[in-house]
Structure formats: structure tokens, C-alpha cells
């Protein structure tokens, strides 16, 4: 997940001032404390994020929805701001110059070894608590596999799996694109029986 960067409680204003002064770092603000996101991304992680943002930007160009990369925080609560790998907001209240998105409809995490448990469990709970978020997309970098958690009318969530040869459907923004486009030029590792990625 992340390592605690500051043992002192801080205000949100102080947190965003640190982010402004240290743009090279990636920080999250969790219940009054600042955490630095751990490194751990590789070429697959980078290529997948680039492909993802390209597909979303091309599909949404000229429309009411804005695509944001991993520099944009998402507000979960007054004392909780996290950094997804990508997010989309179609709400005018989130457009213009803002420090964080308050009304995103879609958030996306591209998994890495250092963050996969955090992204699949804790962040699912975080994003599920934000009423405007209709879909949470989790992208594997070990195989062609995408899981889209979709909010239902009764506030339950259903997971939809997309594998090689299928189109990823994002109903929150009315967009679909091939999983092959998402993984363009990505080389998958060979996974052995004792590889920790299997666990």
C-alpha cells in the first residue's frame, strides 16, 4: 500500500501544500495522516496506464466527461483523499481547477505487486462509500483480465470479468473498448507454481 510519511496529524490544507511542494511524490491522506505511495510499477504497469488513458480520452473527447490521470486525488471523506490510477468525472462541479474530485463516476486501479491487496480490498471499500462512483475498474498486469465492480440500484455491487477477446463495457460513461487495446504492447510475465503473484 503505502508508507507513513508524517507521524504528525495534519489538516487537509497542510496535506495539499505538501503535495504542491513535492510534485514528484505521490501521497494519500488517510484519517489525518499523510502516506507516500510505494513504488513498484514496471513497464507493464506504465504501458497499461498509458493505453487506458488513451482509450478513455479518445472515447470521451468533446463530451461532458473529463478523464484524469494518477495525479488527481479523489475525495472519499473530509479526512480521506486517495490517488487512483485514472478517474472520470461527468459532473460540472468537478470541472475547472480543483485539488480533488468529489463527484467521480468511474475510478480505475492498475494492479502492481506492492498495491494489489490494498486496491482489491481497502480501496473497493473506499470507493463503494462514495455515492457518485458507479463503477470501480481493476486492471491486472499479469494477464488480460479486467474486473469492473458495478453499483446496483440497491447499493450492492456486482463484479463483471472481462478477458482476452472481449470488449470492456463501462456503463457509467457509456464507453466500451477492446481488451486488446488496453494491453497493446504489454508483455506478460511467465508465472511459475511458486510465483507470489499466484497467491
Amino acid at each position: 500500500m503505502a508508507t507513513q510519511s508524517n507521524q504528525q496529524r495534519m489538516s487537509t490544507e497542510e496535506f495539499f501544500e505538501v503535495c504542491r511542494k513535492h510534485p514528484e511524490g505521490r501521497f494519500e491522506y488517510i484519517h489525518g495522516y499523510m502516506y507516500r505511495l510505494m513504488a513498484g510499477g514496471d513497464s507493464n504497469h506504465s504501458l497499461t496506464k498509458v493505453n487506458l488513458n488513451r482509450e478513455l480520452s479518445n472515447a470521451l473527447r468533446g463530451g461532458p466527461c473529463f478523464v484524469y490521470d494518477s495525479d488527481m486525488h479523489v475525495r472519499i471523506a473530509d479526512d480521506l483523499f486517495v490517488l487512483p490510477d485514472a478517474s472520470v468525472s461527468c459532473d460540472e462541479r468537478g470541472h475547472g481547477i480543483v485539488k480533488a474530485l468529489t463527484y467521480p463516476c468511474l475510478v480505475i486501479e492498475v494492479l502492481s505487486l506492492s498495491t494489489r491487496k490494498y486496491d482489491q480490498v481497502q480501496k473497493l471499500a473506499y470507493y463503494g462509500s462514495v455515492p457518485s462512483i458507479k463503477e470501480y475498474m481493476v486492471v491486472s498486469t499479469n494477464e488480460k483480465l479486467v474486473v469492473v465492480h458495478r453499483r446496483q440500484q440497491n447499493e450492492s455491487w456486482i463484479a463483471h470479468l472481462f478477458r482476452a477477446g472481449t470488449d470492456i463495457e463501462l456503463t457509467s460513461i457509456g464507453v466500451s473498448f477492446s481488451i486488446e487495446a488496453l494491453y497493446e504492447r504489454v508483455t506478460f510475465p511467465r508465472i511459475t507454481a511458486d510465483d507470489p503473484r499466484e497467491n
Side-chain angles (χ1 to χ4, degrees), residues 62-79:
C65 300
F66 287 20
V67 181
Y68 298 89
D69 66 10
S70 56
D71 288 336
M72 177 58 74
H73 286 87
V74 167
R75 177 192 176 279
I76 306 298
D78 287 343
D79 64 347

Side-chain angles (χ1 to χ4, degrees), residues 130-177:
V130 180
S132 68
I133 295 176
K134 305 305 180 187
E135 290 179 308
Y136 173 36
M137 177 176 169
V138 180
V139 181
S140 173
T141 53
N142 293 328
E143 60 178 315
K144 291 181 180 179
L145 174 64
V146 169
V147 179
V148 176
H149 299 275
R150 189 169 296 151
R151 189 189 300 271
Q152 306 301 297
Q153 289 186 347
N154 62 1
E155 293 302 308
S156 64
W157 290 75
I158 294 180
H160 300 264
L161 274 65
F162 300 92
R163 297 184 181 275
T166 64
D167 286 345
I168 301 163
E169 298 179 1
L170 298 170
T171 60
S172 61
I173 54 175
V175 166
S176 66
F177 52 89

Side-chain angles (χ1 to χ4, degrees), residues 174-190:
V175 166
S176 66
F177 52 89
S178 73
I179 201 166
E180 278 67 31
L182 176 64
Y183 289 108
E184 183 179 347
R185 299 190 177 186
V186 172
T187 302
F188 296 105
R190 294 188 61 180

